[in-house]
């Protein structure tokens, strides 16, 4: 799922890139491959969620904490290098980073590199397991409902030929949107429970 998110968000493969910069060049401050850095951060975030007291000790100079902060620096450098490269080339791209860079340009300086970086990291860390879970359930539902799969495949025929579909063209497919929404309704990846205080009708 990390590789899929990497392609969708940044246009490169985390598993084959050292920093995410063009050509896969490695800088002095980012020696670890990006997939290893994400694994490290996600694992530490899982531990923080299970034990909030551990989160309070994240600044202590332990081996695990040093690895965690180095992993965060690796990800930061990768994203900043990609942002700088795209701005220098003047080509924003069609992925999530390109959408954010385009929005930042429209905001006329109100969204700096730091805010773009934080938005991307939030999407990636929060969307890692949730995206994989939703895709898995969607494929399962399609496999068990061949008539729905056939309708989606028929709708896909409306997509422009000659290359990968754009985000706008996918958003214009109402049946695909309905399938995704129904998947989220049946199998919410970030569901929650509540205890009502009063009886309601």
């Amino acid at each position: 799922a990390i590789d899929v998110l990497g392609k969708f968000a940044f246009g490169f493969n985390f598993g084959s890139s050292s920093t995410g910069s063009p050509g896969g060049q490695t800088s002095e401050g980012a020696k670890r491959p990006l997939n290893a850095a994400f694994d490290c951060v996600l694992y530490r975030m899982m531990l923080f969620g299970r034990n909030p007291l551990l989160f309070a000790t994240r600044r202590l100079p332990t081996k695990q904490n040093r690895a965690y902060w180095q992993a965060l620096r690796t990800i930061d450098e990768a994203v900043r290098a990609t942002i700088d490269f795209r701005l220098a080339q003047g080509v924003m791209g069609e992925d999530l980073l390109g959408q954010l860079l385009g929005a930042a340009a429209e905001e006329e300086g109100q969204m700096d590199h730091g805010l773009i970086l934080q938005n991307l990291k939030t999407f990636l860390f929060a969307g890692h397991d949730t995206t994989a879970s939703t895709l898995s359930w969607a494929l399962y539902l399609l496999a068990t409902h061949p008539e729905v799969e056939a309708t989606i495949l028929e709708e896909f025929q409306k997509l422009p030929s000659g290359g990968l579909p754009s985000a706008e063209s996918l958003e214009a497919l109402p049946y695909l949107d309905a399938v995704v929404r129904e998947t989220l309704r049946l199998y919410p990846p970030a569901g929650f429970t509540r205890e009502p205080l009063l009886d309601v009708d």
Side-chain angles (χ1 to χ4, degrees), residues 101-180:
L101 290 174
E106 294 178 1
E107 294 291 335
E108 298 182 353
Q110 296 184 30
M111 184 184 297
D112 58 16
H113 286 194
L115 184 57
I116 294 174
L117 178 63
Q118 293 304 318
N119 275 283
L120 286 169
K121 285 165 63 177
T122 298
F123 170 80
L124 286 170
F125 293 137
H128 174 238
D129 291 334
T130 52
T131 302
S133 175
T134 300
L135 286 174
S136 298
W137 282 117
L139 292 174
Y140 165 78
L141 290 171
L142 289 174
T144 54
H145 297 79
E147 70 283 359
V148 175
E149 180 185 14
T151 304
I152 277 196
L153 292 176
E154 182 180 348
E155 189 176 61
F156 283 168
Q157 299 303 315
K158 302 175 183 178
L159 290 171
S161 58
L164 296 175
S166 65
E168 290 77 12
S169 61
L170 290 175
E171 290 174 356
L173 301 179
Y175 199 79
L176 174 63
D177 179 70
V179 168
V180 173

Side-chain angles (χ1 to χ4, degrees), residues 8 11 16 20 31-32 38 69 77 82 99 109-110 119-121 123-125 132 138 142 144 167 170 183 185 190 197:
F8 169 73
S16 62
K31 297 292 187 181
R32 302 182 61 184
F38 268 94
W69 290 109
E77 287 200 11
T82 305
Q99 299 291 329
Q110 296 184 30
N119 275 283
L120 286 169
K121 285 165 63 177
F123 170 80
L124 286 170
F125 293 137
L142 289 174
T144 54
L170 290 175
T183 301
R185 185 187 72 83
L197 299 179

Side-chain angles (χ1 to χ4, degrees), residues 34-102:
L34 276 174
N35 58 341
F38 268 94
D39 285 343
C40 176
V41 173
L42 289 170
Y43 178 71
R44 293 295 290 175
M45 291 177 64
M46 177 193 68
L47 295 180
F48 293 155
R50 292 179 177 177
N51 184 2
L53 292 178
L54 185 63
F55 179 76
T57 66
R58 69 191 185 283
R59 298 286 183 180
L60 296 178
T62 64
K63 179 180 179 180
Q64 293 78 10
N65 283 341
R66 286 195 295 269
Y68 170 70
W69 290 109
Q70 176 59 44
L72 286 175
R73 286 191 293 271
T74 297
I75 296 168
D76 286 358
E77 287 200 11
V79 178
R80 290 183 187 278
T82 305
I83 291 174
D84 292 340
F85 176 77
R86 293 196 186 185
L87 291 176
Q89 296 294 317
V91 178
M92 299 300 118
E94 296 294 331
D95 49 27
L96 178 64
L97 177 56
Q99 299 291 329
L100 287 175
L101 290 174

